């Protein structure tokens, strides 16, 4: 038996489910948010919701960086590729995410733009070296998980005096998004958070102490079925005991301090941005990063004098509600009709971490008892 199989053991899963059922009080509901889109996909893939008592409600959160990026930021990247003649390098998730008027990087490439999918920032640096007469822009996206790789690229570019490389920075910070979600009021009142394991390997667990202090238990979970079932069980016990705290259920990968070297690289290259617009959450203070003054020469927004313009989401698309946990994918009248993975309207149907993509891919929407139900 390998390590992964141990975290998918059916007997242990049933034992955990029995323990969850025994721990649930019959006189109350438990609303737990899985913050990360990776967790959402595991829950859907293994039908974990079907194994839980009815009073346990899992709520999708704002942990998919593609889903919370507003369309106006996609427009900036498309404009660079189409109108400025740059080589735009991006991770594959971004290719089909709609900007305004359903424009995407895929469609821009079909129209002649030079857009290249890369697996790492080092690939983008290599492309810059191979094309010294062209401007190469890396589309930086993601939470603290991917930001350190962008930070390293900036440091390498500066050390090599790479004159034709820059970054269109859209890296986001986890804690401000959670504060915004928890401040939504009755609509998204939560009892606990299942925190993302991979982000936490960078930021550590201490950052979540503030949420425990305000009454929400936090369990940092890995990405296997037993990780998530254990998270549910221990959060329910926290709630019953009225003793919210931060539990590290991913100790095989993370510590309370996180990764100091990665955090230092981010702090050196990309300090906090004063304000940044999120899909569904509006403009949040200190919720994203910007390229620092010492690396300004590699900031695509400054190099190309870009000006962000907010644009409205597609009519009837409820991705904004989904990413803040207010509604479920099956509540959207576009879901599975005009919005499918083959022809997505909103980012939640595109991204590999999107809640709509998870519901569709694993057929969960076919089991929904009341299409249109709110997540509460």
């Amino acid at each position: 038996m390998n390590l992964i199989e141990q975290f998918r053991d059916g007997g242990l899963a049933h034992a955990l489910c029995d323990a969850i059922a025994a721990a649930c009080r019959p006189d109350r509901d438990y609303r737990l948010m899985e913050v990360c889109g990776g967790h959402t996909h595991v829950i859907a893939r293994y039908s974990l919701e079907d194994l839980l008592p009815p009073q346990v409600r899992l709520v999708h959160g704002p942990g998919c960086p593609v889903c919370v990026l507003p369309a106006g930021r996609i427009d900036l990247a498309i404009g660079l590729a189409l109108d400025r003649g740059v080589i735009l390098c991006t991770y594959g998730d971004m290719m089909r995410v709609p900007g305004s008027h359903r424009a995407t990087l895929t469609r821009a490439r079909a129209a002649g733009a030079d857009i290249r999918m890369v697996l790492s920032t080092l690939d983008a640096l290599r492309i810059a070296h191979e094309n010294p007469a062209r401007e190469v822009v890396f589309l930086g996206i993601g939470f603290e998980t991917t930001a350190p790789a962008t930070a390293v690229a900036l440091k390498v570019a500066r050390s090599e005096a790479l004159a034709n490389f820059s970054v269109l920075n859209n890296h986001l910070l986890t804690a401000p998004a959670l504060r915004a979600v928890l401040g939504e009021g009755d609509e998204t009142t939560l009892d606990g958070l299942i925190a993302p394991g991979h982000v936490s390997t960078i930021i550590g667990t201490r950052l979540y102490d503030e949420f425990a202090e305000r009454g929400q238990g936090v369990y940092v979970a890995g990405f296997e079925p037993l990780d998530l079932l254990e998270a549910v069980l221990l959060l329910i016990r926290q709630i019953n005991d009225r003793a919210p705290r931060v539990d590290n259920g991913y100790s095989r990968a993370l510590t309370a301090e996180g990764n100091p070297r990665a955090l230092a690289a981010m702090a050196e290259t990309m300090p906090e941005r004063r304000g940044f617009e999120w899909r569904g959450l509006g403009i949040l203070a200190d919720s994203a990063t910007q390229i620092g003054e010492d690396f300004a020469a590699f900031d695509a927004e400054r190099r190309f004098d870009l000006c962000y313009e907010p644009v409205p989401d597609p009519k009837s698309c409820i991705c904004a509600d989904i990413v803040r946990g207010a509604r479920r994918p099956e509540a959207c009248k576009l879901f599975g009709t005009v919005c499918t993975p083959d022809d997505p309207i909103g980012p939640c149907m595109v991204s590999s971490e999107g809640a709509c993509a998870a519901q569709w891919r694993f057929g969960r929407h076919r089991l929904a008892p009341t299409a249109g139900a709110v997540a509460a």
Side-chain angles (χ1 to χ4, degrees):
M1 179 179 291
N2 62 34
L3 180 62
I4 291 178
E5 288 175 339
Q6 293 177 33
F7 285 93
R8 299 175 182 176
D9 184 279
L12 292 176
H14 283 293
L16 279 170
C17 291
D18 290 342
I20 291 170
C24 284
R25 285 171 37 187
D27 60 335
R28 67 157 301 162
D29 291 333
Y30 301 85
R31 292 167 52 90
L32 311 177
M33 172 176 278
E34 84 269 9
V35 176
C36 177
H39 285 161
T40 301
H41 276 250
V42 173
I43 290 166
R45 177 180 179 181
Y46 293 98
S47 301
L48 298 186
E49 286 183 297
D50 295 344
L51 302 176
L52 301 176
Q55 61 263 50
V56 178
R57 308 288 183 87
L58 298 181
V59 181
H60 309 315
C64 168
V66 170
C67 302
V68 296
L69 196 67
R73 301 297 298 187
I74 309 298
D75 284 355
L76 287 182
I78 292 173
L80 272 176
L82 274 179
D83 303 330
R84 305 297 184 94
V86 309
I87 299 174
L88 185 76
C89 298
T90 180
Y91 296 133
D93 257 13
M94 294 302 300
M95 291 298 294
R96 297 195 305 131
V97 179
S100 61
H101 308 294
R102 301 192 66 186
T104 66
L105 293 174
T106 295
R107 289 172 177 165
R109 187 165 69 174
D114 192 347
I115 300 174
R116 307 185 190 185
M117 284 187 288
V118 295
L119 297 177
S120 75
T121 55
L122 298 182
D123 290 338
L125 290 170
R126 174 182 52 77
I127 291 170
H129 279 293
E130 294 172 349
N131 298 270
R134 301 278 308 277
E135 288 281 347
V136 176
V137 178
F138 174 71
L139 178 55
I141 182 171
F143 289 93
E144 291 92 340
T145 321
T146 54
T150 302
V152 169
L154 289 167
K155 295 177 68 171
V156 171
R158 189 177 69 167
S159 68
E160 296 179 344
L162 193 55
N164 64 327
F165 177 81
S166 59
V167 173
L168 179 56
N169 180 27
N170 298 284
H171 285 293
L172 306 167
L173 301 174
T174 302
L178 295 181
R179 294 187 195 108
V181 168
L182 295 173
E184 284 284 324
D186 292 340
E187 188 182 37
T188 55
T189 298
L190 301 169
D191 298 302
L193 298 172
I194 302 175
H198 49 16
V199 164
S200 303
T201 61
I202 305 298
I203 64 177
T205 60
R206 291 191 178 136
L207 188 142
Y208 302 117
D209 288 347
E210 64 173 285
F211 303 110
E213 291 168 0
R214 59 191 289 179
Q216 275 89 21
V218 180
Y219 186 96
V220 185
F223 295 87
E224 295 297 334
L226 295 191
D227 287 318
L228 291 164
L229 290 174
E230 184 178 63
V232 171
L233 173 61
L234 295 189
L235 282 173
I236 287 172
R237 287 176 176 171
Q238 284 191 37
I239 296 163
N240 289 344
D241 295 340
R242 297 184 180 180
R245 63 181 181 275
V246 180
D247 284 335
N248 178 6
Y250 201 38
S251 58
R252 62 187 186 274
L254 71 92
T255 65
E257 293 76 21
N259 186 328
R261 292 183 65 184
L263 293 172
M266 288 176 58
E268 178 184 354
T269 58
M270 296 184 290
E272 290 180 354
R273 191 185 294 240
R274 184 169 298 174
F276 192 88
E277 184 184 17
W278 294 55
R279 187 189 304 272
L281 300 178
I283 298 175
L284 302 181
D286 304 327
S287 65
T289 65
Q290 61 182 354
I291 296 176
E293 291 300 322
D294 292 344
F295 295 84
F298 305 99
D299 185 349
E301 291 187 58
R302 282 184 263 198
R303 179 178 294 206
F304 297 97
D305 194 24
L306 301 180
C307 182
Y308 173 71
E309 295 288 343
V311 296
D313 287 335
K315 188 176 181 181
S316 301
C317 173
I318 66 165
C319 282
D321 293 335
I322 292 171
V323 298
R324 67 173 190 270
R327 304 172 81 182
R328 295 178 64 94
E330 57 267 29
C332 181
K333 62 183 180 182
L334 305 183
F335 181 88
T337 55
V338 297
C339 184
T340 66
D342 290 335
D343 191 18
I345 302 295
C348 293
M349 187 61 90
V350 182
S351 173
S352 60
E353 295 188 35
C356 296
Q359 294 293 87
W360 180 271
R361 180 178 180 186
F362 301 109
R364 297 292 307 163
H365 58 288
R366 300 189 188 97
L367 305 176
T370 52
V374 173

